[in-house]
């Protein structure tokens, strides 16, 4: 593995010359930009062995292509054990960072494409699967972070891609050349795109015959000519520019989304994994979505663990940890969090091999997993705010605590229980503020609704796989009906 440490990963990002815009200005040095670096630090944790005894076994594995030790983020799942370990790894990284560490989208993308390219080659006589394997060898060897880019800009949501007045709102092929293709369009809300070496594009929906140009999948280096990134804002994000880590709440780590624009980007054939096979496009969407819905059964649970810890700590700091209703609320938080985890583990252990050898999660259970994630984190956050109190939204700033004229008052009047220093209480409250209404809520709450597909997308999948006919048969058989 070429990149073997968090530091080496950060250094590798310095080498990329990209067109990145933040707050209306082009950023020449994104690596040290205070609004980007915390998100990059979160990705860097995927490169850290860490001190947890189970980390090595979860974060690293053996490549089925080369036999070498590789990051699980570049691995193709070879068993249900691999699927379970993926979820455990994600929970562990959620524990470390309390945010979205971004690297899973690429992992879920290559796994989805692995089985679909195999089946596409069987059906269409194409040669995408070998190309993808070659690409995998490369990202495994270099240990690259890959952004899995699916969601298109979409324009008028009532119109199909081919019917849009501006076809560019869906990424599509504008030219086919002997050496490769030229693509145009934009992928929106791209998690980790600023912190990735490569961008792996997949179609956003099941395409029809007249939409073959939109059935396109490829990988390009993030610094390819014609690419532009515009960072998306998060609530209270400019606190990161104030030099007051207390007010940031989770100052070391963050998440990141951006609009990724492809303005006639050239892609050589060896990096093209679908080009016109519209019948295969729906499969990529379904499989990628199911893998990423499984992912949430690990990552959001890992964040939830830290939030439960914050609830217990703030209750203690405020002298109410023994109150029965507080204990009951914390128990409810744990119950909700572990319910999500149970689904993540269930859809993994019920996974099955695809003809390519790559293991696929149980798609019904993966969708149930993510559907719970569209609700339970909100209830966990509500309970946490309930326990913490209204001070979550009324705290003075770090600079007030540093001002000798008011600091003694703040020390005296914002103090909690016993001899706990006031600032320790405030520190955990600022973390809760960040996670429930600040920048951290973008990853824990909004992403929980819309990441890996909005709630309705899961309901459609659940409905499709509910097998109601069989359930009707069961009741008829039980009570002797024809
Ligand atoms: Fe990974 Fe979770 Fe972020 Fe998706 S939302 S990239 S699964 S940490
Ligand atoms: Fe996500």
């Amino acid at each position: 593995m070429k990149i073997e440490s968090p530091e080496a990963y950060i250094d590798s990002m310095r080498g990329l010359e990209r067109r990145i815009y933040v707050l209306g200005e082009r950023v020449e040095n994104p690596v040290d930009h205070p609004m980007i670096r915390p998100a990059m630090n979160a990705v860097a944790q995927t490169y850290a062995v860490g001190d947890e005894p189970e980390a090595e076994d979860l974060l690293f594995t053996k490549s089925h292509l080369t036999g070498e030790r590789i990051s699980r983020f570049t691995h193709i799942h070879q068993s249900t054990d691999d699927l379970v370990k993926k979820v455990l790894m994600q929970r562990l990284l959620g524990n470390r960072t309390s945010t979205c560490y971004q690297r899973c989208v690429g992992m879920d993308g290559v796994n989805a494409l692995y089985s679909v390219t195999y089946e596409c080659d069987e059906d269409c006589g194409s040669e995408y699967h070998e190309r993808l394997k070659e690409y995998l060898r490369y990202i495994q060897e270099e240990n690259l972070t890959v952004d899995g880019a699916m969601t298109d800009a979409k324009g008028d949501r009532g119109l199909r891609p081919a019917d849009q007045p501006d076809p560019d709102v869906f990424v599509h092929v504008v030219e086919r050349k002997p050496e490769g293709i030229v693509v145009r369009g934009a992928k929106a809300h791209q998690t980790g795109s600023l912190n990735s070496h490569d961008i792996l594009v997949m179609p956003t929906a099941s395409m029809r015959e007249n939409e073959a140009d939109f059935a396109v999948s490829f990988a390009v280096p993030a610094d390819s000519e014609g690419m532009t990134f515009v960072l998306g804002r998060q609530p209270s994000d400019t606190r990161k520019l104030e030099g007051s880590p207390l007010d940031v709440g989770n100052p070391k780590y963050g998440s990141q989304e951006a609009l990724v624009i492809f303005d006639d980007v050239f892609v050589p054939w060896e990096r093209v994994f679908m080009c016109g096979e519209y019948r295969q496009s729906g499969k990529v969407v379904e499989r990628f979505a199911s893998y990423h819905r499984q992912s949430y059964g690990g990552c959001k649970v890992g964040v939830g663990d830290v939030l439960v810890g914050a609830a217990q700590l703030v209750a203690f700091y405020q002298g109410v940890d023994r109150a029965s209703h507080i204990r009951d609320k914390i128990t409810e938080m744990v119950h909700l969090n572990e319910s999500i985890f149970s689904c993540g583990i269930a859809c993994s252990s019920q996974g099955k091999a695809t003809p390519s050898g790559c293991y696929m999660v149980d798609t019904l259970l993966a969708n149930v997993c993510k559907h719970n994630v569209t609700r339970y984190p909100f209830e966990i956050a509500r309970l946490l705010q309930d326990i913490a109190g209204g001070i979550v939204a009324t705290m003075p700033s770090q600079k007030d605590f540093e001002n000798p004229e008011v600091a003694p008052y703040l020390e005296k009047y914002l103090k909690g229980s016993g001899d706990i220093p006031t600032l320790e209480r405030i520190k955990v409250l600022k973390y809760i503020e960040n996670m429930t209404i600040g920048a951290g809520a973008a990853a824990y709450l909004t992403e929980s609704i819309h990441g890996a597909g909005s709630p309705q997308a899961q309901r459609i999948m659940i409905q499709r796989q509910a097998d109601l006919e069989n359930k009707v048969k069961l009741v008829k058989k039980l009570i002797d009906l024809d």
Side-chain angles (χ1 to χ4, degrees):
M1 285 192 300
K2 203 167 161 195
I3 304 175
E4 295 213 61
S5 67
E7 298 74 28
Y9 158 71
I10 302 271
D11 275 352
S12 71
M13 294 310 295
R14 287 189 196 282
L16 295 176
E17 283 193 19
R18 296 167 293 166
R19 250 166 79 91
I20 295 176
Y21 288 83
V22 178
L23 300 175
E25 280 174 18
R26 182 148 179 198
V27 173
E28 298 300 338
N29 175 10
V31 176
D32 297 310
H33 194 289
M35 279 171 66
I36 299 174
R37 185 56 179 265
M40 197 170 281
N41 289 341
V43 179
Q45 277 302 313
T46 70
Y47 288 87
V49 181
D51 49 17
E52 306 89 347
E54 69 279 25
E56 168 69 31
D57 188 38
L58 297 183
L59 266 69
F60 300 93
T61 185
K62 199 166 89 170
S63 167
H64 76 294
L65 296 171
T66 63
E68 298 290 323
R69 174 178 174 270
I70 55 163
S71 164
R72 189 174 295 283
F73 283 96
T74 64
H75 183 52
I76 298 299
H77 316 301
Q78 298 297 303
S79 62
T80 53
D81 186 51
D82 269 350
L83 290 170
V84 169
K85 281 185 176 150
K86 172 194 159 187
V87 172
L88 295 175
M89 166 182 80
Q90 289 168 314
R91 186 170 187 166
L92 181 141
L93 289 168
N95 286 175
R96 278 190 196 168
T97 61
S98 186
T99 188
C100 164
Y101 38 84
Q102 307 143 57
R103 204 175 166 193
C104 328
V105 275
M107 164 176 59
D108 292 339
V110 290
N111 273 278
L113 283 168
Y114 195 86
S115 59
V116 177
T117 52
Y118 182 91
E119 290 160 35
C120 179
D121 289 359
E122 300 266 289
D123 289 355
C124 317
S126 46
E127 46 194 45
Y128 297 121
H129 191 64
E130 278 310 312
R131 276 186 204 166
L132 184 74
K133 274 162 89 173
E134 208 38 58
Y135 180 61
L136 273 167
R137 278 186 201 102
Y138 163 66
I139 60 167
Q140 289 181 350
E141 204 169 297
E142 304 281 316
N143 198 8
L144 300 183
T145 291
V146 177
D147 166 45
M150 180 165 277
T151 307
D152 277 300
K154 290 186 185 153
D156 183 337
R157 271 64 174 167
L159 296 177
R160 298 276 321 169
D163 302 331
Q164 296 284 341
D166 178 359
D168 296 350
V169 292
F170 285 82
V171 171
H172 61 123
V173 182
V174 290
E175 200 184 338
R176 286 173 171 77
K177 295 180 172 185
E179 326 79 63
I181 56 175
V182 179
V183 294
R184 192 187 303 153
K187 293 287 186 185
H189 334 296
Q190 284 311 301
T191 297
S193 50
L194 298 187
N195 302 324
S196 299
H197 303 97
D198 268 26
I199 312 291
L200 173 69
V201 165
M202 294 164 280
T204 204
S206 183
M207 299 298 171
R208 296 178 182 165
E209 195 171 355
N210 65 337
E211 294 163 343
D213 284 344
F214 300 90
V216 63
S217 174
F218 58 87
V220 281
D223 55 356
S224 299
E225 210 185 312
M227 293 190 62
T228 303
F229 300 79
V230 186
L231 180 70
R233 297 210 61 177
Q234 293 171 339
S236 71
D237 53 3
T238 45
R239 288 191 185 190
K240 292 171 185 157
L241 304 174
E242 293 172 5
S244 303
L246 179 71
D247 291 338
V248 177
N250 182 9
K252 276 188 278 186
Y253 302 111
S255 64
Q256 168 270 297
E257 263 85 29
L259 182 69
V260 182
I261 299 151
F262 301 83
D263 195 1
D264 290 356
V265 173
F266 173 74
V267 190
W269 284 116
E270 59 267 26
R271 288 286 187 269
V272 177
F273 311 122
M274 177 182 293
C275 184
E277 293 79 3
Y278 62 92
R279 283 198 187 87
Q280 309 289 330
S281 54
K283 276 202 261 183
V284 179
V285 178
E286 240 177 70
R287 290 183 198 180
F288 170 77
S290 295
Y291 280 129
H292 210 57
R293 290 168 194 174
Q294 168 211 24
S295 287
Y296 278 46
C299 75
K300 299 300 179 226
V301 182
V303 177
D305 288 330
V306 191
L307 296 177
V308 170
Q312 181 67 33
L313 189 61
V314 81
F316 171 68
Y317 282 180
Q318 300 183 155
V320 293
D321 56 312
R322 301 180 77 90
S324 65
H325 73 100
I326 297 286
R327 286 160 72 154
D328 190 53
K329 280 166 189 155
I330 294 174
T331 304
E332 177 65 9
M333 290 171 75
V334 173
H335 165 72
L336 292 166
N337 203 41
E338 299 299 340
S339 299
I340 300 172
F341 182 58
S342 308
C343 290
I345 294 298
C347 70
S348 305
S349 56
Q350 292 297 299
K352 298 237 164 17
T354 62
S356 69
C358 170
Y359 268 66
M360 181 66 204
V361 291
D362 181 288
T363 53
L364 174 59
L365 295 179
N367 278 277
V368 170
C369 177
K370 171 68 213 313
H371 206 49
N372 287 336
V373 174
T374 66
R375 300 172 182 170
Y376 296 177
F378 286 83
E379 185 60 11
I380 291 171
R382 188 186 74 79
L383 289 163
L384 180 55
Q385 283 213 356
D386 183 354
I387 293 165
I391 190 167
V392 161
T394 65
M395 280 173 284
S397 69
Q398 177 174 336
K399 292 197 166 68
D400 293 310
F401 282 97
E402 289 164 355
N403 181 331
E405 289 162 32
V406 288
Y409 291 125
L410 301 184
E411 279 290 333
K412 177 178 158 79
Y413 291 114
L414 297 182
K415 196 168 172 326
S417 141
D419 50 12
I420 309 290
T422 303
L423 264 178
E424 282 195 20
R425 174 185 177 223
I426 297 296
K427 206 169 184 180
V428 67
L429 285 163
K430 291 272 190 189
Y431 164 74
I432 295 169
E433 178 197 27
N434 172 268
M435 293 304 297
T436 58
I437 44 177
Y444 187 59
L445 298 178
T446 311
E447 198 178 39
S448 285
I449 297 197
H450 294 293
S454 307
Q456 190 57 21
Q458 289 112 56
R459 294 186 88 84
I460 292 167
M461 289 290 286
I462 291 169
Q463 193 180 39
R464 239 192 255 163
Q465 294 175 78
D467 196 3
L468 293 180
E469 209 178 309
N470 186 47
K471 290 176 170 61
V472 168
K473 270 191 210 152
L474 294 176
V475 68
K476 280 187 171 174
K477 192 174 165 198
L478 182 78
I479 58 174
D480 299 323
L481 288 177
D482 284 339

